[in-house]
Amino acid sequence: MERKHMSALSIYQSLSGGTKPQVQANSPPAKKIKKKENGVQPNKKSNKKKRMKPLKPSMRLSSSDEEKSKSQEYCETHNGEGFDSPALDVLLTDLAKVNNSRERANRLFQWLLHPVQDKSFFRENWEKKPILIQRQNPEYYKGLFSTAEFDRILRNNDVQYGVNLDVTSYTNGKRETHNPPGRALPYTVWDFYESGCSLRMLNPQSFSSTVWQVLSILQEKFGSMAGANVYLTPARTQGFAPHYDDIEAFILQLEGKKHWRVYNPRSEDEVLPLVSSPNFSQDEIGQPIMDVVLEAGDLLYFPRGFIHQGDCLPDAHSMHITVSSFQRNSWGDLLLKLMPAALEIAMEEDIEFRKGLPLDYLQFMGVQNSEKEDPRRDKFIAHIEGLMKKLVNYAPVDAAVDQKARDFLHDCLPPVLSAEEKASSVYGAPARWGDGVALDVTVQLKGQTQIRLLGALAARLCSDGDTVSLFYTSENSRVYHKEQPKSIEMKAEHIDAMEFLIHSYPKFVSVASLPCETMEAKMSLAELLFEKGLIHTAKSFTAE
């Protein structure tokens, strides 16, 4: 008797104790028990109901045609047809010839927004309102990522469910994750897809050299980690419920097309949120301010806090990549590092912060006394305000920024080097094995040798008050935080020279020009930086 084929979704749900009716080609997958997303338990705090401040009149949700037309002013659409700009594969080849990492970042970001100018974008849209760029050019993102590459990654790499890949569905208002345990093999993954499930690759930069290159360049523009997810969705389906994120999102449509609806934040409390939202029902989100179809080559940007949902049309699948940045990169996040340090310094240096509290303060302060009319309360609060005003005088702002910088460099992807940079750095050094011995193991750096950092983000000096360390990104992993932060404790004789080298970028400087007291100190610093892959020379070793 011929064995009836069961889809991966059917098998998984039967093993999970559930049953599933047969899925038609145009039917969404059946429901199952909710699973953890991304292998992490959802943040329970985000599900708590709280009082929400209403939006300002200009940001309120529209409920009539007149209000809808007004809300359209809160987003923008740009037509890029007729504006010339190279496809991505051509652009990356050109960028490899640019000898300044900051300039590479500026050019790549400008290409991403083309034909919108980046200054206009940051002035009008960044953290403010969505923007749609329609290009009528399906080849615009050529070479970035594709379904063929998705398949190759599944076949050739250890892709794990919940770590690298999520299988999702959104049916009848319910969002579900269908991740089995273990490795995601093509046979099972594509069966899920044929059953109507969406596929989300969580860290494509770990597997795709092009995505890695793009993100490693963009992170310098943002001054914040740049991440990405790839989404592949079958026709007639939707993989995710309406929600908002805690990142600035750039949606790049790679293949097919997708219908997107974007909604204003529901209240001022949800503008630029610190955490992503739970899933919303359709009746919780109001009317969309943007209702569009993205086609290959188009871009949609929306700030964190803007609710969004995307679904596939009946006639095409969709593949898009979401490039994200600016997670927990606010003034408040800096102050979280600054205020404890400021208070510690104030308590050491100012007796007013060390004086004892009033003996009876528990009798008139605290929640149970908050409704009391007591002059002692006013005096107590006024004293707190005075101390808070004094606290700014003890704030170690540069030290707090250094803490943020250390976190950022730990988050960073390692740099992608051009052929010229490789050939003139430790990665192109001629050391090799030949004739039974190690050959050319020593690179002769000399006083006249011209050196510079491999990029503006290659290294940064940071101080914890007692020591000065050089943090760097060259040994970071393409897998987020797989490695511990990389740093070198600097010798006092090298600090000024290192600062000089950082500030000289992108210019080359001679080893002899480094401001160290002795030539020996200059050479030892240059050799250390070369061995760590942080500098390269003006000439490649093959050219010499």
Side-chain angles (χ1 to χ4, degrees), residues 21 37 140 149-150 170 287 345 353 357 377 432 468 543:
E37 295 187 32
Y140 197 75
E149 184 167 11
F150 199 117
Y170 179 68
Q287 297 296 320
I345 294 171
F353 287 86
L357 292 163
R377 286 182 57 83
R432 65 196 185 280
V468 175

Side-chain angles (χ1 to χ4, degrees), residues 389-462:
K389 289 178 181 178
K390 292 186 71 175
L391 193 60
V392 70
N393 298 320
Y394 303 98
V397 178
D398 287 323
V401 169
D402 280 351
Q403 288 186 51
K404 282 289 290 177
R406 290 199 296 269
D407 292 345
F408 171 42
L409 265 65
H410 187 206
D411 292 343
C412 277
L413 287 163
V416 177
L417 304 182
S418 67
E420 181 180 340
E421 289 167 340
K422 287 180 181 177
S424 56
S425 67
V426 69
Y427 306 103
R432 65 196 185 280
W433 182 263
D435 298 327
V437 296
L439 303 174
D440 297 326
V441 294
T442 302
V443 172
Q444 294 296 327
L445 296 178
K446 302 173 184 178
Q448 66 268 30
T449 303
Q450 298 284 311
I451 61 172
R452 72 168 186 178
L453 291 176
L454 272 167
L457 274 184
R460 182 184 175 94
L461 286 171
C462 297

Side-chain angles (χ1 to χ4, degrees), residues 200-238:
R200 173 172 63 180
M201 183 166 285
L202 298 171
N203 49 349
Q205 62 271 22
S206 299
F207 307 107
S208 165
S209 295
T210 305
V211 176
W212 168 29
Q213 184 175 7
V214 167
L215 296 181
S216 70
I217 295 173
L218 287 177
Q219 66 192 4
E220 191 158 335
K221 179 68 176 180
F222 295 131
S224 175
M225 185 190 80
N229 289 334
V230 168
Y231 299 82
L232 179 60
T233 308
R236 297 179 183 271
T237 68
Q238 180 169 338

Side-chain angles (χ1 to χ4, degrees), residues 18-209:
T19 59
K20 166 187 170 291
Q22 184 176 355
V23 178
Q24 302 297 324
N26 61 348
S27 301
K31 303 176 182 178
K32 62 168 288 301
I33 297 173
K34 177 79 172 180
K35 291 285 181 181
K36 293 188 290 184
E37 295 187 32
N38 305 333
V40 179
Q41 190 68 34
N43 190 334
K44 295 181 179 179
K45 290 183 179 180
S46 62
N47 290 317
K48 290 183 179 179
K49 291 187 176 181
K50 59 181 180 180
R51 282 177 56 188
M52 296 188 295
K53 299 175 185 177
L55 284 172
K56 297 174 183 177
S58 62
M59 298 173 64
R60 285 180 187 153
L61 297 172
S62 55
S63 57
S64 67
D65 291 339
E66 181 180 358
E67 288 176 332
K68 284 179 183 178
S69 65
K70 289 181 180 178
S71 72
Q72 294 300 325
E73 299 174 4
Y74 201 49
C75 55
E76 293 181 23
T77 301
H78 288 261
N79 190 320
E81 186 177 14
F83 292 88
D84 292 332
S85 188
L88 178 62
D89 52 355
V90 176
L91 176 70
L92 292 178
T93 300
D94 291 341
L95 288 181
K97 303 171 186 176
V98 176
N99 290 318
N100 184 334
S101 64
R102 295 190 186 101
E103 181 62 23
R104 288 179 196 169
N106 287 333
R107 290 193 190 183
L108 179 57
F109 188 69
Q110 181 56 74
W111 173 88
L112 191 69
L113 295 176
H114 179 80
V116 176
Q117 293 299 306
D118 64 345
K119 290 183 179 179
S120 171
F121 170 79
F122 283 113
R123 182 178 63 251
E124 303 293 337
N125 299 95
W126 179 254
E127 293 190 323
K128 297 181 182 74
K129 62 182 179 180
I131 187 170
L132 169 67
I133 300 174
Q134 296 173 310
R135 296 193 174 95
Q136 288 79 48
N137 181 1
E139 300 295 311
Y140 197 75
Y141 301 123
K142 179 182 177 182
L144 179 54
F145 203 85
S146 66
T147 46
E149 184 167 11
F150 199 117
D151 185 66
R152 283 196 299 272
I153 290 171
L154 292 175
R155 294 181 182 282
N156 300 329
N157 295 273
D158 182 17
V159 177
Q160 292 286 317
Y161 287 110
V163 177
N164 312 114
L165 186 75
D166 280 333
V167 180
T168 70
S169 65
Y170 179 68
T171 309
N172 299 324
K174 187 172 183 179
R175 157 77 168 86
E176 297 181 286
T177 301
H178 308 283
N179 292 341
R183 182 178 172 183
L185 293 167
Y187 176 82
T188 308
V189 171
W190 294 125
D191 207 5
F192 273 123
Y193 178 83
E194 283 298 302
S195 298
C197 292
S198 289
L199 307 175
R200 173 172 63 180
M201 183 166 285
L202 298 171
N203 49 349
Q205 62 271 22
S206 299
F207 307 107
S208 165
S209 295

